[in-house]
Each structure stands twice: as structure tokens, then as C-alpha cells.
Amino acid sequence: MTRSVYVTGIDRGDGRQVVELGVMELLTRQVDRVGVFRPLVHDRPDRMFELLRSRYRLSQDPATVYGMDYHEASALQAEQGTDELVSTLVDRFHLVARDYDVVLVLGTDFAATQLPDELSLNARLANEFGASVIPVVGGRAQTAGSVLAEVRNAYRAYDGLGCDVLAMVANRVDREDRDELARRLTDRLPVPTYVLPDEPALSAPTVAQISQALGARVLLGDDSGLARDALGFVFGGAMLPSFLPALTPGCLVVTPGDRADLVVGSLAAHSAGTPPIAGVLLTLNEVPSEEILTLAARLAPGTPVLSVAGNSFPTAEHLFSMEGKMTAATPRKAETALGLFEGYTDTADLARRVSAPTGDRITPMMFEHKLLEQARSDRRRVVLPEGTEERVLHAAEVLLRRGVCDLTLLGPQDRIRKQAADLGIDLGDTQLIDPATSELRDAFAEKYAQLRAHKGVTVELAHDVVSDVNYFGTLMVQEGLADGMVSGSVHSTAATIRPAFEIIRTRPDSSIVSSVFFMCLADKVLVYGDCAVNPDPDAEQLADIAVQSAATAAQFGVEPRIAMLSYSTGTSGSGADVEKVRAATELVRARRPDLKTEGPIQYDAAVEPSVAATKLPGSEVAGQASVLVFPDLNTGNNTYKAVQRSAGAIAVGPVLQGLRKPVNDLSRGALVQDIVTTVAITAIQAQNLSEKVSEL
């Protein structure tokens, strides 16, 4: 039977979209096929479903998502009664449930629905659907005592109506009351109760949403600038010296269009990062001269400048009544919401309570979710040498909002801050270090000179070398100031990993440094090694790569079954290349008899059961290999790229292995999500390294 989770509330304005998004995140970690059902809807397409569909790549036909609209439901209930309404919605729910392993049900929103006793309707639908319930209570502008009473009353209401209540959530609670309320709710109810603080960024409209609502003209600004949250409004009327101190981070400046001094002054302050603003909104349909707009564009590239026809007073009324919404077009809000949900709920316990049916399939999304969750479980610090690179900054924002790890960004601090401000990114308390001016530079130069003295490196020469961001970042890892490093989005592989070879060096149990790619196929994850580092490993090195790759696979939840690849399977072929693989296979078996290893074996026999049954019947690996070791770099690199492009696989890596401490390389074409995933992998490698050290 399909498992279903019903997220509902007791009144409007509870901000339950945070919980709906968080529960969907939990469900997609466990199963591949997740459906969505909204019994009653105001408008189609529904913005929450569109967000879920975009973020989680749902293939569900939107026509199956909705039971009926509120007007239709109200008429049906009035004419034929509640039983007929419920019966119709149950039938439409089961049309979805039959095609999915689990269904997330989005309850009614209590907003101008004209339905009597809406709470009871949600409870009855949940029971008829066979769904467990997570009620959400809104706490905005309420005292801790009031929220406490409402949570308890909500639980009694749903429990009294026969619902299987999984957990209770108090959302949008004043941050000053959050900890006290959580303490008072502990053990008060027979189910877990989670308390989420109010997060201004979630209710703040984006500049794009403001522009659309006001019908504004966009004079300047790019998509990234328009995606910024307007965290407040500052109305310009004073002279510039008095006006500038009133600016706050993330504010939208509202000023008559003829105040060119305030426009230029605001954007100059933004450019300096003191403070970064969301943008400028000009009223009275006045537009500065072309010269002023050109100067503005140079001062703060990408920062929005909008123009509206009305004067400041009606514009202000409209702005103060506006609330931001999470949509498919606001991915930053989604990251903030998930970071909030994961930071204040016990996701592991909630996932167990949801207990969605699981199988052997591991989809790319499930693998990525697992990485972020594992990295978050024991936060580490990762240094990113390419601190001024736009993709790195966007990735840093995602990592920080999701609470995946702590970060250090390297580069000129003013440039990093300005670039972040131009992109509308809040780096919070992220550590920023400029290697050229850092007080660590002299100590690092001494350290590097000691390590490379045998190569004739002097302290003076080392002083220049360690100003390079990759050398500086590697030394931070070596000296324990960071747990790992990720670079390569704008640097070559050699520039990224050479410092690691010179400074961190290989582990005592490894003869070489090698790499793997996690190849995320539609229904499983395979580990490919080595596709990035060693051009033509000998048998000894190939065996080392196999053992390293098996260990890496196990670290990330892939059961290692090693296939030593060749153009020949078993004893069917001969030649120097085949003999190398055969010798490497025997070395792996001798060193690690506990590992399931097969070789030489062809790729099709390694992964396809029907071919394996013919070529190597009875093998523990053939047909189900998970770790595929290529005989040389030429074969490995071309194969991973062929599978990536032709089979639509997601290639995560290269992940370096064999180093004493984790350093990982990025492709120079890496996307933001690639960087996020690689940083998470690096943090997990650091966790595992720490565990091994503690065992010694």
C-alpha cells in the first residue's frame, strides 16, 4: 500500500510550505517515485507544486495533482453534502497513489475557502487517504504561551478525529522565544514537536516579485540581482550624508526618480559592501539621465534599478502589504527553507517515522541528498581557494543556507565582498582570507620551505609560492586550519593537486594518489576509477587503485564489488594489457581477500547479468559490479565521458583518494550543484579521516 504524508494546519498564515518542502526532501531521500496531491486548489498551476516539480524533477502529470478547485468543492458540498465531496476527492487521490511509492498531500490553506470546519475536513481526508498527518501551527506575532496552547490544542483536535499524527510543528515563532518554547514542549505530547523560528528572508519579496506586483520598469539589473530578497525598505528624502547611515543590508531604496544623488550614493555604498542593498525603486515616473544610469551600472553591475509611475506614499502602502512567496523562480528561498527545516527538526527521526517503503534503487537525487545529510551530521570546514569565482560564491550560498559545512574563501576580501554583493549573496560569518596579506603567510612560508628543502626551496622563494591560493589552501588543510579543500573551477587539475602532492602527500597505506567518479545512473550509482590522474598504472598501482576505490565506495554507501576491466573476460584472451589486469586482480585478492573482486572482465559482463551468466557464470561480481577499475587513463576518461553524455548519467568527481587529508578537484566546466556535491564529499572524507585517527 502506498504510504502517504498529509501536511496540514489549523489556520492561514502558518508558512507550512517550509514543512512541505522539508518533508518532500525526506521522502525523495528514501524512494524514487514520489507523487504529490493537493485536494483543493485556488489557482492552477499551483505554485508549491511547480516548485516541487522543478526542484525534484517530478515527472507527474500536473492534471493528476489537483482534486478540484475551492469553488467546485464548495458547490458540491452545498448540493450533495460532505460525504460526496470526500468520496470524489478520495477517488482522485487513488488515481495518484496507484502510480507512486509515496504521496505527499498538501492540505487546504484556510484562506477564503468558504468551507465549514476546514480542520475536520483535512482530518477526514487524511484518514480516508490512509495518510499520517503533520499539523503546522503558525506562531508569528504570538507569545510563547499562546503558541504552546495552540500546538497542544491542534494535536488534540487531529488526534481526537482519529488521525495518525507523526509530529507537530510550530512555525514562524519569534526567535527570542524559540528555545524556551522548544523546552516547554519537550515531552508534553506523545509525538515529537519541532519549533522553527521566523525567518525574514522567507517572507521577504524578491525584487522581481516587487517589480511584477507594481508593474515597474526594469532600468538596470540582471536575473541574479532581481532574485535578491528585499529584507526591508528605506525611503529616501534626506540629503545624502544623512541618508547613507539609514541603509541596512538587503534593503530596497525607495526614492523619487529625480534624486540622482541618492541613487548614486546607494549604489556606491553597495559597491563598497557597506551595506549591500537589494536595489533601488524610483517613483514619480522620473528616470535619471543616461549618464547617471551608465555610472550606476558601472558602480554596481547587476543591481536592479526600477521605476514606477506612482508617488512614494501609495508605493509604500503596496510594499508593506506584500509578502514574498516560495516559487520555482526563487531557488534561494527554497535553500533557506530547507536549511531552516533541517536545522530545527530531527530529520533522521522524522524519516524513520515516515518510513516510506525503500528498495535497492539509488537515484542521482537520492545519492545527492544522502551526501548533504551525511556532511551536515558532523560539520567540517572546507577551504575554497577560488573565492571570487561566481559559481563558487553561489555554491557557498547553498552550502551555508543548508548548513552543510563551514567555509573559508580565499582571495582579496574586498573583491569577494563586492562580488557577493553584486550577486545578492549573503556570506554571513564566512571566513575570508587574502593569502597575499594574511598573517599566516610567514608561518606557511617557513613550513613549505621545510617540506621542500630537499628541492632547494628557500624561505624567500616559499614566501612567493604560498601566496598562491591553492598552495595557501593546501597548507591550511595540512596545518589543521581547514578539514579539506576544493578547487579547480578556474584552475587546472595540475594547479589544484600539485600542492597536495608536495605538502599533504600520500597515506602510508597508499603508493599513489588516484581518483574516482561516482556515476549516477537512473537506478544505481557506480564508482569508476581511475579516470583523471594516472595515465598508465602498472599492476601494483592498479591494485592500489582498486583497493582505494573500494574504500571510497564503502564510505559513501556503495557496497564494493570490484571489476578489473579489460578487453578480455576470464581466460579468453592474452597479451601484455590483459596480463597486467590479471596480475593486478591477484594482488587485490591477496591483499584484501574480504573484497569481492573479478578480473580480467569486460564492461558488459561486469554490469549486465545476462552477459555475465554466459561469460562468467557463478561469479559474485559479474553482472552486478559496483566498482569498475579501468586499465589506463585513456580508457577510463573516455568511458566516463561517453556514459555521462550518451546515457545521461551524472558524473560526480573526480574524487581524489590516497592523500593523507582530503583535497578535491573540480572540472573547469563545473556547475554550481557540482561544486556543492564535491564540497559535501570532501567534508565526508574529512569525517572519515577523523574517525580513523580517533581509533588509533
Side-chain angles (χ1 to χ4, degrees):
M1 180 178 178
T2 299
R3 176 73 154 145
S4 302
V5 180
Y6 197 117
V7 180
T8 182
I10 62 171
D11 202 351
R12 65 183 303 178
D14 53 32
R16 83 183 71 150
Q17 294 80 14
V18 173
V19 180
E20 292 168 344
L21 190 65
V23 172
M24 175 60 92
E25 184 85 5
L26 293 182
L27 295 176
T28 55
R29 290 176 190 173
Q30 299 181 65
V31 296
D32 180 25
R33 298 182 306 149
V34 181
V36 178
F37 185 68
R38 186 183 283 285
L40 300 175
V41 65
H42 284 290
D43 301 304
R44 306 184 197 193
D46 176 71
R47 63 179 175 83
M48 192 62 196
F49 171 68
E50 291 301 311
L51 169 60
L52 296 176
R53 180 166 69 157
S54 171
R55 184 174 186 86
Y56 298 102
R57 303 188 283 276
L58 304 182
S59 59
Q60 183 178 353
D61 180 356
T64 68
V65 172
Y66 314 114
M68 62 182 73
D69 63 40
Y70 281 97
H71 178 74
E72 180 187 0
S74 181
L76 181 60
Q77 187 178 44
E79 294 171 8
Q80 301 185 46
T82 301
D83 288 349
E84 185 61 28
L85 170 63
V86 171
S87 177
T88 302
L89 292 174
V90 169
D91 288 343
R92 295 178 183 179
F93 166 78
H94 283 298
L95 291 175
V96 176
R98 69 185 183 185
D99 294 329
Y100 295 93
D101 298 320
V102 63
V103 177
L104 172 64
V105 184
L106 312 177
T108 68
D109 59 11
F110 295 84
T113 61
Q114 298 181 339
L115 293 171
D117 199 1
E118 203 164 336
L119 187 152
S120 294
L121 177 62
N122 280 290
R124 182 171 176 186
L125 288 174
N127 290 334
E128 296 291 351
F129 295 168
S132 297
V133 177
I134 301 178
V136 183
V137 173
R140 178 172 286 176
Q142 294 194 55
T143 65
S146 175
V147 178
L148 175 65
E150 286 204 4
V151 170
R152 296 170 69 179
N153 290 338
Y155 172 77
R156 289 169 183 157
Y158 280 102
D159 181 65
L161 291 167
C163 293
D164 172 30
V165 180
L166 280 179
M168 297 294 300
V169 178
N171 189 34
R172 291 182 162 180
V173 173
D174 190 297
R175 283 190 175 270
E176 293 183 358
D177 295 336
R178 188 267 157 200
D179 291 346
E180 172 64 15
L181 181 58
R183 185 189 65 78
R184 292 174 65 182
L185 280 168
T186 301
D187 300 328
R188 291 290 186 94
L189 298 175
V191 297
T193 302
Y194 304 116
V195 182
L196 278 57
D198 198 17
E199 174 50 65
L202 289 177
S203 55
T206 65
V207 179
Q209 289 171 338
I210 290 172
S211 175
Q212 183 177 11
L214 297 180
R217 284 189 296 154
V218 179
L219 305 177
L220 295 174
D222 56 21
D223 290 343
S224 179
L226 290 167
R228 298 177 192 173
D229 295 320
L231 300 178
F233 305 105
V234 175
F235 293 85
M239 298 303 292
L240 188 61
S242 301
F243 173 73
L244 288 178
L247 295 178
T248 57
C251 70
L252 181 71
V253 173
V254 183
T255 183
D258 58 0
R259 290 297 304 273
D261 58 329
L262 299 187
V263 174
V264 173
S266 299
L267 295 176
H270 172 89
S271 179
T274 54
I277 64 173
V280 178
L281 176 62
L282 306 176
T283 60
L284 300 176
N285 210 26
E286 292 279 348
V287 177
S289 68
E290 193 65 33
E291 291 80 7
I292 293 296
L293 288 177
T294 300
L295 176 60
R298 290 177 179 173
L299 277 173
T303 298
V305 176
L306 313 178
S307 173
V308 293
N311 63 39
S312 296
F313 184 73
T315 300
E317 283 189 312
H318 203 152
L319 289 174
F320 284 124
S321 65
M322 196 179 301
E323 183 169 349
K325 305 292 184 184
M326 276 198 296
T327 70
T330 59
R332 287 178 177 170
K333 288 188 185 295
E335 298 295 350
T336 299
L338 285 172
L340 192 70
F341 182 83
E342 292 161 345
Y344 291 95
T345 65
D346 185 342
T347 54
D349 181 62
L350 192 54
R352 284 192 295 271
R353 288 175 174 273
V354 169
S355 63
T358 58
D360 295 330
R361 286 168 57 88
I362 302 177
T363 68
M365 185 174 295
M366 291 165 69
F367 182 68
E368 290 173 4
H369 289 338
K370 183 176 180 180
L371 291 178
L372 297 187
E373 183 178 23
Q374 192 173 344
R376 190 185 301 111
S377 68
D378 181 13
R379 286 180 65 150
R380 300 287 157 160
R381 177 170 295 278
V382 178
V383 57
L384 305 177
E386 298 157 327
T388 58
E389 165 60 26
E390 180 175 332
R391 289 166 295 161
V392 170
L393 287 169
H394 280 302
E397 181 181 36
V398 173
L399 292 160
L400 293 170
R401 291 192 180 210
R402 297 293 299 278
V404 175
C405 61
D406 297 317
L407 297 174
T408 298
L409 301 181
L410 301 186
Q413 295 180 27
D414 289 344
R415 280 187 58 197
I416 295 174
R417 289 195 183 96
K418 183 179 186 306
Q419 179 75 328
D422 288 341
L423 296 171
I425 292 171
D426 180 10
L427 294 175
D429 57 358
T430 300
Q431 184 181 40
L432 307 181
I433 298 178
D434 183 355
T437 59
S438 171
E439 60 185 17
L440 294 170
R441 185 175 178 182
D442 290 342
F444 281 0
E446 293 277 357
K447 181 68 176 180
Y448 183 71
Q450 292 173 13
L451 291 171
R452 304 297 289 173
H454 63 290
K455 293 291 186 179
V457 174
T458 63
V459 173
E460 290 75 16
L461 178 59
H463 198 261
D464 292 333
V465 172
V466 301
S467 66
D468 176 270
V469 289
N470 285 314
Y471 275 93
F472 193 94
T474 304
L475 280 158
M476 286 189 68
V477 176
Q478 175 65 19
E479 295 301 292
L481 300 175
D483 299 298
M485 183 182 93
V486 174
S487 187
S489 66
V490 293
H491 289 93
S492 68
T493 294
T496 299
I497 66 176
R498 184 186 297 115
F501 290 165
E502 295 179 359
I503 296 166
I504 294 176
R505 301 175 181 173
T506 58
R507 295 199 311 261
D509 59 348
S510 299
S511 63
I512 59 171
V513 173
S514 63
S515 72
V516 295
F517 279 89
F518 289 98
M519 302 300 295
C520 301
L521 304 173
D523 60 350
K524 58 187 172 183
V525 176
L526 300 178
V527 177
Y528 283 11
D530 172 9
C531 305
V533 179
N534 297 286
D536 188 17
D538 59 26
E540 182 84 19
Q541 293 171 328
L542 202 58
D544 204 351
I545 292 169
V547 172
Q548 290 177 358
S549 301
T552 300
Q555 279 182 359
F556 295 95
V558 177
E559 181 184 352
R561 294 183 294 272
I562 306 170
M564 306 294 288
L565 297 177
S566 173
Y567 60 78
S568 171
T569 294
T571 58
S572 65
S574 60
D577 291 337
V578 177
E579 292 306 318
K580 179 180 80 169
V581 174
R582 184 172 287 118
T585 303
E586 293 306 317
L587 285 171
V588 174
R589 288 171 174 163
R591 292 179 190 173
R592 293 290 306 276
D594 57 306
L595 292 174
K596 296 176 181 178
T597 308
E598 190 67 73
I601 185 171
Q602 291 162 290
Y603 190 99
D604 58 349
V607 299
E608 177 51 51
S610 61
V611 177
T614 301
K615 294 189 174 183
L616 279 176
S619 170
E620 290 186 295
V621 173
Q624 53 183 337
S626 59
V627 177
L628 297 108
V629 180
F630 294 90
D632 54 58
L633 184 59
N634 183 48
T635 307
N637 193 270
N638 279 294
T639 302
Y640 106 76
K641 288 182 177 177
V643 173
Q644 179 186 32
R645 300 300 178 185
S646 301
I650 296 174
V652 179
V655 177
L656 297 184
Q657 50 194 16
L659 288 167
R660 293 174 183 265
K661 296 185 178 184
V663 171
N664 282 310
D665 181 35
L666 296 165
S667 163
R668 275 172 279 181
L671 302 176
V672 171
Q673 187 56 44
D674 299 331
I675 300 172
V676 170
T677 303
T678 304
V679 171
I681 286 174
T682 305
I684 295 167
Q685 287 179 310
Q687 293 171 357
N688 289 321
L689 178 67
S690 177
E691 289 173 5
K692 289 181 179 179
V693 171
S694 65
E695 291 171 0
L696 297 177

